[in-house]
Amino acid sequence: MQGESRFDRESPDAAASAGRKADKGREGSPGLRLGGIVIDAVDLDRLARFWSALLDLRVTRREEDWVSLGPGLALQRVPEPKIAKNRVHLDLVADDFARAVVRAAELGATPAGEMHEDLWQVWRDPEGNEFCICVS
């Protein structure tokens, strides 16, 4: 359809869950899909311990400058510290919000502000990367 964007079409996950074939895109489309989220880290080991413990994910791949946690999250070593607000962040949905924020703090995260609309709170990991803990 003329003027239609990829956002206007049904997601592959939605089509699959409904038992239909996913839209493969326009002819010539490279067929891109999200493979995972990567967080930059100066201290790779420290952030790997933090995110692994917070999300209860095991290390599935380890290299000198790379750690994969579970199927969709990875960390990569970078030389520079974080200096500005994230342009992308993770929204973590908690079954038990109170326990989740206590656990995050125990692991070294710090709150970046108060609750918003009684639904989410912004936090920072030990290197300052923002993420939200959301009420389920």
Side-chain angles (χ1 to χ4, degrees), residues 13-73:
D13 291 339
S17 67
R20 297 185 303 274
K21 277 190 169 181
D23 179 3
K24 294 292 183 183
R26 293 184 175 96
E27 188 174 319
S29 168
L32 293 172
R33 65 189 179 284
L34 183 63
I37 304 293
V38 180
I39 299 172
D40 290 349
V42 172
D43 186 338
L44 190 60
D45 294 325
R46 179 180 184 201
L47 275 198
R49 283 190 304 273
F50 171 80
W51 286 105
S52 176
L54 183 66
L55 298 175
D56 195 25
L57 295 172
R58 66 182 187 84
V59 173
T60 56
R61 180 175 156 201
R62 172 70 193 196
E63 297 177 15
E64 183 179 341
D65 293 327
W66 184 273
V67 174
S68 294
L69 300 171
L73 183 64

Side-chain angles (χ1 to χ4, degrees), residues 71-125:
L73 183 64
L75 307 164
Q76 70 178 353
R77 187 184 323 272
V78 295
E80 69 280 346
K82 181 186 171 298
I83 56 171
K85 183 183 180 309
N86 294 13
R87 295 293 303 262
V88 175
H89 69 269
L90 303 179
D91 278 353
L92 308 177
V93 178
D95 292 332
D96 183 333
F97 182 84
R99 284 182 54 206
V101 298
V102 166
R103 181 68 174 147
E106 288 172 348
L107 294 170
T110 54
E114 301 299 318
M115 284 287 289
H116 296 272
E117 301 175 25
D118 293 326
L119 295 174
W120 80 91
Q121 184 177 23
V122 179
W123 284 73
R124 291 188 180 101
D125 74 11

